[in-house]
Structure formats: C-alpha cells, structure tokens
C-alpha cells in the first residue's frame, strides 16, 4: 500500500519546515517546562495546570507528527512546467461568475498550505478540482453545497 502524497510548491514545503522547527525548538520545550512547573505543585490527580499542559503537549506532538508526514511525502509541483495560462498548483486564478461582474481570486495550493481567509484554496477543494487543468477563457461549472454555478477564467498567473 503506497502512502498518500502531498502535492505542494517548494515555498509551501519551506513554510512547513519552518513551522516544524518552531514547534520542535520553541513550543515543545515551553510545554515541557510547563509540565515540570505543574508537577512541582504536588498531587497530579487534581492538578488542572498539569492536565492542561499534558493536553497541550499531545496537541503539539500531533502537529509535529502531521507536519513530518506531509514533508516526508511531499510532492513538489513546478508551476513553471505548466502552460502560463493553465490553472495548476502554484498559480493564482481570477474567475468571474457568468452573468455577473463579481470576480474572485484564488491561489491554488497543496492541502498543507490552504488558508481560505488568505484566498489560498487546497488543490483538493471542489473549486480547485474544477479549475485545475483549465485555461484562461474557459467556462467551468463548480459544484457547491448551495448548488452549481458557472465561472469564466479571467486570468491565470504564477503565485508569488
């Protein structure tokens, strides 16, 4: 059975590596120190500080494990190898809903780099899956929980 790969740009991988370093070198030691201090309070069975620190330790270790897996199975995508006007990971696409003047801008990233609030959508999202491989001028139907709608790809550019 092969492991899942995580498509991402080189910049996304570097960001994950920085986050991993922060977790290992800063957050982990902070949590260990909190556990030591909480232990010094005595009875661990009724020590809420100790329980909170142990919970945070489990969370941090889970994040470390998740990021290590994503880095280990990273598949670096070279957006330069794709046509300039074709939607792919590492590209930013401007779309306009057909029949309106409303435009939306999305940066297509690997799942590890998704941040909806920053306009970065995962390559696994329904919008990205509908757009990937399409080119400027193409009309695309996007399925959403609220129903389907059609957009036209206005512009595709490399994400900075």
């Amino acid at each position: 059975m092969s492991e899942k790969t995580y498509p991402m740009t080189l910049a996304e991988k570097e960001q994950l590596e920085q986050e991993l370093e922060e977790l290992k070198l800063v957050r982990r030691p902070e949590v260990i120190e909190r556990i030591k201090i909480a232990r010094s309070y005595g009875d661990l069975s009724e020590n809420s500080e100790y329980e909170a620190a142990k919970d945070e330790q489990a969370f941090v270790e889970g994040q470390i494990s998740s990021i290590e897996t994503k880095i280990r199975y990273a598949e670096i995508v070279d957006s330069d190898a794709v046509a300039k006007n074709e939607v792919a990971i590492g590209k930013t696409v401007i779309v306009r809903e057909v029949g309106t003047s409303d435009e939306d801008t999305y940066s297509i990233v690997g799942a590890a780099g998704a941040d909806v609030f920053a306009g970065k959508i995962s390559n696994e999202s329904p919008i990205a899956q509908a757009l990937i491989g399409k080119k400027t001028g193409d009309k695309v139907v996007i399925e959403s929980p609220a129903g389907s709608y059609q957009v036209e790809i206005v512009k595709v550019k490399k994400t900075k």
Side-chain angles (χ1 to χ4, degrees):
M1 183 170 114
S2 65
E3 290 289 331
K4 176 182 177 173
T5 60
Y6 295 88
M8 64 182 72
T9 62
L10 185 57
E12 288 176 77
K13 184 178 181 199
E14 289 169 352
Q15 180 182 355
L16 283 175
E17 288 169 341
Q18 288 174 353
E19 190 176 337
L20 181 63
E21 186 174 329
E22 167 80 11
L23 287 167
K24 284 183 167 183
L25 299 179
V26 178
R27 293 272 316 270
R28 182 187 269 166
E30 286 174 355
V31 171
I32 290 170
E33 186 60 29
R34 283 186 51 214
I35 290 171
K36 283 182 190 174
I37 291 169
R39 271 194 183 135
S40 71
Y41 296 153
D43 185 11
L44 298 182
S45 65
E46 295 181 15
N47 188 329
S48 62
E49 288 90 353
Y50 178 76
E51 288 301 319
K54 290 298 283 183
D55 288 346
E56 186 176 352
Q57 181 184 38
F59 177 75
V60 168
E61 294 303 324
Q63 284 185 305
I64 289 171
S65 176
S66 174
I67 292 171
E68 285 176 338
T69 298
K70 288 173 184 171
I71 291 171
R72 184 179 307 116
Y73 297 106
E75 180 182 311
I76 303 303
V77 176
D78 181 10
S79 62
D80 291 334
V82 178
K84 283 187 179 188
N85 67 339
E86 184 178 338
V87 180
I89 294 175
K91 300 274 185 105
T92 297
V93 60
I94 300 170
V95 297
R96 178 178 29 247
E97 189 169 350
V98 173
T100 72
S101 60
D102 296 341
E103 289 187 349
D104 289 311
T105 302
Y106 302 108
S107 295
I108 312 294
V109 298
D115 181 355
V116 177
F117 299 110
K120 297 177 178 181
I121 61 172
S122 164
N123 64 304
E124 297 174 358
S125 72
I127 295 172
Q129 287 188 350
L131 294 172
I132 289 176
K134 305 298 189 290
K135 297 183 176 172
T136 304
D138 286 352
K139 289 189 167 108
V140 180
V141 174
I142 297 178
E143 300 293 333
S144 77
S148 61
Y149 58 99
Q150 188 175 34
V151 298
E152 179 179 357
I153 299 173
V154 177
K155 184 175 183 179
V156 178
K157 60 185 179 181
K158 185 175 179 177
T159 301
K160 294 181 181 182

